[in-house]
């Protein structure tokens, strides 16, 4: 058995076999492009696979060394990859600047950090393993643009309509190119260094040659916009880096915006951090101690067993321990199947996260039913579960050698759970106001009753909703 066969045999034991079979088929028969920076959600859709199974399989494959997982910081404007690293620990800048969009962005894990998977050279070598040898436009497609930009199959042909010139420059090389400037906005841009020069072309057409010089370096320096007239232009380009660069001169108009405007869902860092498989197999490898990464919206669910101390007294340690362990097992399964992850357990309490409010509410409803069923099987009401849910912004942090969350949203969610009665689900307005939650509650025949409550440590009253 070859090393690759052994890898996939091991992977079939760790992940869904059907999903692994599809991945193996692409590895063996797919194009090089198919195996570079795989968008897990797009892959699942193209192969009619479950998204969670696909994410889990690729995570296990990365852990086994069959794939390389990368965390890419994206420009929310153009969809370009501003920085990339093997772990989330590399996202360490307060602001990332996109020269193409002439804008700076504070990184958030919701939509600005994607996670992709590239086949390992030990399994199969592809062209993107040596990106400096990719044809220029293939470099733009495979390296510069994120997997969330839905580039058309005829990308090269459509880009040619707005392209005035594109060249390759080796380290230290200098080149001269001549173009005819149209009366439109023009950009000189290099995808390797993200260097840009804007040219606002307007006024009367001239027959006299105009000149522009541009030094391409790692400095990411922003050049002031030049104003030139339509007509001939001679561009001097110098590569002051130690890599090949691929500058292009193109018209920045509606055709460019249309080309880059189509977007598709991708695996965000936020979604991966709330994935149970990721938390199980990567654990402490995620964040540095000093990192504080923003998430603009995350849903927190807290549970606790009421009267668990009395339960141990009443039925004995062994029986109570078995009951509590059964309760944890059920909650863990429900959280995972609703695309969430358990962050930690504290005594008999659970803290879990979900990428959206509707998944948290769906999990809470299932938890309540599961506890009622467990009690019915035991012929008692020993498992009395209290549930609280809230959604909002937070920070992803590293606490006690574990990826955790910090902020007022977490505090409110915990306080809301503390107010809950047994088998009652308490939520905030941020939860019940979500359109998908409203539809879920209507479909389930669940009603809600609200009241204002003061929460300890929160300097304002909060409207609480009881789901029954």
């Amino acid at each position: 058995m070859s090393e690759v066969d052994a890898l996939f045999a091991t992977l079939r034991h760790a992940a869904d076999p059907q999903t692994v079979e599809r991945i193996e088929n692409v590895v063996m028969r797919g194009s090089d492009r198919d195996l570079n920076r795989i968008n897990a959600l797009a892959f699942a859709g193209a192969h009619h696979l479950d998204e969670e199974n696909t994410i889990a399989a690729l995570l296990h494959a990365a852990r086994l060394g069959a794939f390389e997982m990368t965390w890419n910081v994206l420009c929310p404007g153009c969809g370009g990859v501003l920085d990339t690293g093997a772990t989330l620990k590399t996202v360490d800048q307060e602001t990332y600047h996109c020269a193409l969009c002439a804008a700076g962005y504070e990184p958030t894990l919701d939509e600005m950090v994607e996670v992709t998977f590239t086949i390992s050279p030990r399994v199969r070598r592809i062209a993107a393993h040596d990106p400096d040898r990719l044809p220029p436009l293939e470099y733009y497609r495979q390296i510069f643009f994120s997997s969330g930009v839905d580039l058309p199959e005829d990308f090269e042909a459509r880009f040619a309509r707005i392209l005035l010139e594109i060249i390759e420059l080796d380290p230290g090389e200098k080149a001269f190119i001549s173009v005819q400037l149209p009366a439109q906005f023009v950009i000189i841009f290099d995808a390797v260094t993200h260097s840009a020069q804007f040219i606002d072309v307007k006024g009367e057409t001239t027959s006299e040659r105009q000149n522009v010089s541009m030094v391409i370096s790692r400095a990411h320096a922003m050049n002031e916009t030049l104003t030139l007239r339509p007509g001939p232009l001679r561009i001097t380009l110098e590569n002051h880096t130690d890599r090949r660069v691929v500058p292009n001169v193109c018209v920045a108009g509606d055709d460019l915006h249309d080309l880059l405007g189509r977007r598709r869902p991708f695996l965000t860092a936020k979604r991966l951090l709330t994935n149970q498989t990721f938390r199980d197999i990567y654990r402490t490898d995620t964040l540095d101690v000093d990192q504080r990464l923003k998430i603009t919206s995350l849903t927190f669910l807290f549970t606790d067993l009421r009267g668990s101390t009395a339960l141990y007294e009443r039925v004995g340690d062994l029986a109570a321990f078995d009951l509590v362990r059964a309760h944890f097992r059920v909650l863990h399964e429900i959280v995972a199947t609703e695309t969430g992850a358990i962050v930690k357990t504290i005594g008999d309490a659970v803290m879990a996260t979900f990428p959206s409010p509707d998944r948290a509410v769906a999990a809470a409803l299932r938890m309540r039913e599961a506890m009622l069923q467990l009690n019915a099987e035991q012929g008692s009401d020993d498992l009395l579960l209290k549930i609280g849910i809230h959604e909002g912004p937070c920070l992803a942090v590293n606490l006690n050698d574990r990826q955790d969350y910090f902020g007022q949203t977490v505090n409110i969610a915990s306080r809301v759970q503390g107010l809950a009665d047994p088998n009652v689900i308490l939520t905030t307005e941020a939860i019940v106001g979500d359109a998908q939650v409203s539809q879920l509650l209507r479909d389930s025949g669940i009603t809600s009753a609200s009241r204002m409550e003061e929460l300890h440590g929160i300097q304002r009253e909060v409207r609480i909703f009881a789901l029954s």
Side-chain angles (χ1 to χ4, degrees):
M1 180 183 290
S2 70
E3 181 185 9
V4 174
D5 290 337
L7 274 173
F8 279 101
T10 303
L11 186 57
R12 274 188 285 273
H13 289 291
D16 175 62
Q18 180 188 6
T19 305
V20 174
E21 181 183 352
R22 297 292 176 85
I23 293 173
E24 185 176 15
N25 185 60
V26 174
V27 168
M28 298 304 175
R29 299 176 179 83
S31 68
D32 279 12
R33 190 188 293 167
D34 292 335
L35 294 168
N36 180 53
R37 288 190 179 171
I38 292 173
N39 177 330
L41 307 188
F43 186 95
H47 295 276
H48 310 291
L49 299 170
D50 176 78
E51 286 185 356
E52 293 304 306
N53 285 345
T54 302
I55 295 168
L58 288 170
L59 286 170
H60 282 291
R63 197 61 165 175
L64 290 170
F67 283 83
E68 296 171 346
M69 183 166 60
T70 53
W71 303 72
N72 308 316
V73 181
L74 313 181
C75 170
C78 67
V81 175
L82 306 180
D83 198 11
T84 186
T87 72
L88 189 54
K89 296 176 182 179
T90 59
V91 184
D92 56 3
Q93 298 181 37
E94 292 185 2
T95 303
Y96 286 84
H97 191 86
C98 177
L100 185 58
C101 296
Y105 304 95
E106 182 181 13
T108 65
L109 301 185
D110 303 68
E111 298 297 336
M112 273 192 65
V113 182
E114 71 169 357
V115 183
T116 58
F117 300 85
T118 297
I119 193 69
S120 169
R122 65 187 283 204
V123 174
R124 173 178 158 181
R125 286 206 63 84
I126 59 173
H129 287 146
D130 191 0
D132 289 345
R133 296 176 67 86
L134 286 171
L137 285 183
E138 201 63 24
Y139 184 96
Y140 278 80
R141 178 196 282 273
Q142 291 197 47
I143 306 300
F144 178 71
F145 288 114
S146 78
S147 71
V149 179
D150 192 9
L151 294 173
E153 285 299 319
D154 62 345
F155 166 69
E156 289 79 3
R158 291 183 58 180
F159 192 64
R161 301 173 195 167
I162 60 173
L163 183 65
L164 302 179
E165 186 62 85
I166 187 168
I167 65 169
E168 301 177 61
L169 286 177
D170 288 330
E173 190 175 3
K174 181 177 181 179
F176 304 93
I177 58 176
S178 296
V179 299
Q180 192 72 18
L181 284 179
Q184 299 183 70
F185 201 84
V186 170
I187 299 177
I188 308 172
F189 178 72
D190 169 55
V192 178
T193 63
H194 299 188
S195 301
Q197 174 66 67
F198 299 143
I199 305 174
D200 191 5
V201 186
K202 57 187 178 182
E204 294 294 324
T205 301
T206 180
S207 60
E208 295 183 6
R209 189 180 71 186
Q210 304 164 97
N211 294 282
V212 168
S213 295
M214 180 177 173
V215 172
I216 299 173
S217 69
R218 287 290 184 186
H220 295 259
M222 277 301 300
N223 299 307
E224 290 187 10
T225 300
L226 302 175
T227 300
L228 299 178
R229 294 163 62 185
L233 173 68
R234 187 190 197 205
I235 304 172
T236 304
L237 295 168
E238 295 184 57
N239 180 5
H240 285 197
T241 77
D242 58 357
R243 289 184 58 185
R244 177 201 71 162
V245 295
V246 285
N248 80 87
V249 186
C250 72
V251 176
D254 291 341
D255 286 344
L256 178 61
H257 295 145
D258 291 343
L259 186 61
L260 305 183
R262 296 196 312 172
R263 301 301 167 89
R264 60 183 181 177
F266 59 87
L267 179 58
T268 64
K270 165 188 159 179
R271 179 163 178 180
L272 196 58
L273 293 184
T274 61
N275 178 278
Q276 192 64 56
T277 301
F278 175 78
R279 293 191 68 96
D280 288 345
I281 66 178
Y282 283 90
R283 296 186 182 275
T284 62
D285 296 348
T286 309
L287 294 166
D288 272 332
V289 173
D290 296 329
Q291 274 184 296
R292 307 286 188 269
L293 296 175
K294 287 189 176 180
I295 298 176
T296 58
S297 172
L298 192 62
T299 303
F300 292 88
L301 180 150
F302 281 82
T303 72
D304 196 10
L305 283 176
R306 179 175 173 180
S308 58
T309 302
L311 172 64
Y312 280 85
E313 184 70 27
R314 187 169 63 256
V315 303
D317 288 347
L318 185 59
F321 175 75
D322 287 342
L323 270 175
V324 172
R325 188 172 59 176
H327 134 273
F328 276 130
R329 186 167 56 249
V330 169
L331 296 194
H332 190 286
E333 179 183 341
I334 290 173
V335 168
T337 56
E338 293 295 345
T339 70
I342 291 179
V343 178
K344 58 187 173 185
T345 59
I346 309 167
D348 298 326
V350 167
M351 172 185 174
T353 56
F354 296 84
S356 60
D358 60 306
R359 292 302 87 207
V361 172
L365 295 173
R366 289 180 58 190
M367 288 174 182
R368 182 163 65 179
E369 289 303 313
M371 292 305 104
L372 292 174
Q373 183 176 342
L374 276 175
N375 282 333
E377 292 172 358
Q378 296 295 324
S380 66
D381 289 325
D382 289 325
L383 297 174
L384 302 175
L385 195 66
K386 302 163 58 181
I387 304 175
I389 312 173
H390 181 51
E391 173 271 339
C394 64
L395 294 176
V397 299
N398 186 322
L399 289 175
N400 301 319
D401 296 323
R402 175 173 50 197
Q403 191 259 307
D404 207 335
Y405 299 93
F406 178 83
Q408 197 73 310
T409 299
V410 183
N411 297 334
I412 291 175
S414 176
R415 302 290 190 273
V416 168
Q417 179 272 315
L419 295 173
D421 292 322
N423 297 327
V424 171
I425 300 168
L426 290 188
T427 76
T428 60
E429 198 163 6
I431 299 297
V432 297
D434 179 83
Q436 290 178 301
V437 170
S438 297
Q439 185 63 50
L440 173 63
L441 296 180
R442 284 195 297 270
D443 293 344
S444 304
I446 302 295
T447 59
S448 64
S450 70
R451 67 181 189 269
M452 298 300 294
E453 286 281 359
E454 289 187 0
L455 304 181
H456 178 69
I458 311 299
Q459 297 185 3
R460 59 181 173 84
E461 283 194 322
V462 176
R463 185 170 293 279
I464 304 296
F465 292 79
L467 307 184
S468 58

